[in-house]
Amino acid sequence: MPRPELNRRRFLMGLGAGAGLALAGCATRMGAMSSSAATAPQGWGATEAFLQNYIAGKSLPGAMAAIGRGMEAPVYLTAGTQTAAGTTPVGPDTIWRVYSMTKPVTGMAAMILIDDGRLTLDQDIGEILPEWANPMVMTDPENSLDARPAAGPITVRHHLTHSAGLGYSIMGPPPLRSAILAAGLSGGVVSRDPRVGMAMSGDAPVAEPPTSIAEFSRRAAELPLIADPGSVWAYSMSLEILSRVIEVAAGMPYAEFLRTRMFAPLGMNDTFFQVPAAKRAQLTDNHVVYEGRTMNVDPAATSIYLDEPPIPFGGGGLASSAHDYDRFLTMLLGYGAIGDARVMSERTARIGMSDLLPAGIDKSRMYAPSGFGAGGAVASAPETGGTEGQPAGSFGWGGAAGTAAWVDFENNMRVSGYIQLMGAENGDFRPGFTRAVYEDLTQ
């Protein structure tokens, strides 16, 4: 029986919405729902029910959430197992592919350097990366790569907020997207299954990826922009370029900077671009849904995340645990610190989680109209922004496999939710999860 082909359009729709994948027909092993925390101020019945019903409806092995108030230990809500073939229940140290939830991490890493005085928000990145000194802008984006000189420079602010005018391998004008793929500029790794690669690239030729962030930046700089810097919000590979800015400004490799200035101080010991072999037992499967059947496209035992990636993708490369990402969110809720572990000043943290978008920017390409800060959305009203409708002022983002995370300053809480399902079929997780959390909060 031939293996099914994945639907490229639906797959790419799901990847874009992230952010902002058991074999077909196999049974899902449903573990018991559990919760644990030092303090549980109210029940989370609606959220628990949502997670359980979600994995049942999508034939996924597991899902979980971490919810914390202030600096208190989080409540962990867990449903099911890490893999369809295994019996290990999901838990705080289960490792999930968080994809674009890497973007706020990279954004805050840049804010640390702003705090250090090594970068400024409105600094021309051409001063740091010479290949970006003279950006060009497409004159007819839907039809050709013809370009003119940009009206102004690309700044650190533009890269933080997806307003640099860059394209992306998963979306954007066809001529530029094809050129991005032809340059090997993907935003992360998904699977060893060649069908997944075909679903992502279609008929476009795909070059070997760069083997350094420096080479990634040089290749990207040879391509034109969609629009003048600061004029249009467009989801893009800007955080990959920003990771190169971080390397140069910090004088050390990007991944090392994250480890020494953020992960180690915050106790994030299960967050990686490459999952170590010793942590393999903590890793989940990843899935897609095709014609109503759930397919395991990246089994934990042989996951592509066990390999060293071409580069540490600053916009979509991390795998992390609920415990670790909650530590990151707790630092944000603490305006740069958890207890004595301070990674940036309160002032800088507040700036990073504020609306940094240039005035008058075109927001028509946004998933929901909102502000945008250092790698994440800033909710502007309850019905718009955030990851999926959090209170005004909330800051966060989601990932391509359905994950979601945010800090809610109005309610002094942080929230993260985890599944592993790629493509458009995960589009109902984030809004449903968000509604369930706030339903519980009002009980």
Side-chain angles (χ1 to χ4, degrees), residues 349-417:
R350 286 180 179 274
I351 291 171
M353 292 181 285
S354 68
D355 184 6
L356 299 175
L357 285 171
I361 192 169
D362 179 354
K363 298 183 180 182
S364 61
R365 298 176 188 231
M366 280 188 169
Y367 308 118
S370 70
F372 217 88
V378 181
S380 54
E383 69 276 7
T384 62
T387 302
E388 223 89 27
Q390 297 81 18
S394 299
F395 174 83
W397 201 239
T403 56
W406 68 93
V407 284
D408 171 351
F409 295 100
E410 180 178 310
N411 292 293
N412 191 29
M413 65 188 292
R414 73 265 180 195
V415 183
S416 55

Side-chain angles (χ1 to χ4, degrees), residues 232-257:
V232 174
W233 187 94
Y235 203 42
S236 71
M237 57 183 169
S238 65
L239 277 298
E240 270 76 30
I241 308 304
L242 190 61
S243 65
R244 177 57 181 162
V245 173
I246 290 168
E247 283 194 328
V248 175
M252 68 175 72
Y254 162 68
E256 182 181 346
F257 182 82

Side-chain angles (χ1 to χ4, degrees), residues 13-367:
M13 283 171 58
L15 296 185
L21 298 159
L23 295 175
C26 78
T28 299
R29 207 176 246 108
M30 307 284 276
M33 177 69 67
S34 64
S35 61
S36 62
T39 305
Q42 79 280 303
W44 298 98
T47 308
E48 291 178 334
F50 173 78
L51 294 175
Q52 189 71 72
N53 292 335
Y54 197 88
I55 64 173
K58 296 296 176 79
S59 296
L60 296 173
M64 74 174 295
I67 305 172
R69 306 297 292 271
M71 298 291 107
E72 294 179 355
V75 177
Y76 293 110
L77 308 175
T78 65
T81 56
Q82 293 181 167
T83 64
T87 59
T88 302
V90 298
D93 64 349
T94 296
I95 295 174
W96 311 80
R97 300 154 191 80
V98 298
Y99 288 111
S100 286
M101 278 165 49
T102 306
K103 288 179 169 69
V105 173
T106 300
M108 290 302 160
M111 296 306 298
I112 291 173
L113 289 170
I114 289 173
D115 203 45
D116 289 348
R118 300 189 194 184
L119 293 175
T120 62
L121 270 176
D122 295 308
Q123 184 173 2
D124 179 354
I125 69 158
E127 299 174 3
I128 303 165
L129 307 178
E131 63 265 30
W132 291 97
N134 298 293
M136 302 290 287
V137 179
M138 301 170 77
T139 56
D140 185 10
E142 294 300 320
N143 296 297
S144 80
L145 294 176
D146 293 345
R148 56 166 175 81
I154 303 172
T155 67
V156 172
R157 178 191 301 270
H158 295 149
H159 279 288
L160 287 169
T161 59
H162 294 293
S163 59
L166 295 171
Y168 216 175
S169 62
I170 58 174
M171 62 178 57
L176 182 58
R177 185 170 174 272
S178 295
I180 289 170
L181 291 169
L185 301 177
S186 68
V189 296
V190 176
S191 173
R192 303 181 194 281
D193 190 328
R195 293 171 298 168
V196 175
M198 291 176 63
M200 295 179 71
S201 64
D203 296 328
V206 180
E208 286 297 310
T211 56
S212 70
I213 304 176
E215 179 60 25
F216 189 104
S217 177
R218 286 192 291 269
R219 291 190 196 182
E222 295 175 356
L223 302 175
L225 306 178
I226 295 171
D228 281 309
S231 64
V232 174
W233 187 94
Y235 203 42
S236 71
M237 57 183 169
S238 65
L239 277 298
E240 270 76 30
I241 308 304
L242 190 61
S243 65
R244 177 57 181 162
V245 173
I246 290 168
E247 283 194 328
V248 175
M252 68 175 72
Y254 162 68
E256 182 181 346
F257 182 82
L258 290 185
R259 181 178 60 81
T260 58
R261 295 296 302 273
M262 188 182 295
F263 297 166
L266 297 180
M268 297 171 64
N269 299 318
D270 286 323
T271 300
F272 310 101
F273 291 103
Q274 177 186 8
V275 176
K279 301 280 187 176
R280 183 196 307 258
Q282 296 169 229
L283 188 59
T284 54
D285 293 337
N286 200 6
H287 310 85
V288 297
V289 172
Y290 177 75
E291 293 186 346
R293 295 178 294 170
T294 299
M295 301 168 57
N296 184 353
V297 295
D298 191 38
T302 58
S303 173
I304 198 167
Y305 267 80
L306 299 169
D307 298 348
E308 182 179 359
I311 64 170
F313 293 98
L318 283 175
S320 187
S321 66
H323 167 273
D324 280 18
Y325 210 88
D326 179 71
R327 295 291 290 177
F328 173 69
L329 296 176
T330 305
M331 178 274 291
L332 296 181
L333 196 59
Y335 294 108
I338 303 177
D340 294 333
R342 178 166 289 281
V343 300
M344 72 184 88
S345 69
E346 177 177 340
R347 178 178 181 275
T348 300
R350 286 180 179 274
I351 291 171
M353 292 181 285
S354 68
D355 184 6
L356 299 175
L357 285 171
I361 192 169
D362 179 354
K363 298 183 180 182
S364 61
R365 298 176 188 231
M366 280 188 169
Y367 308 118

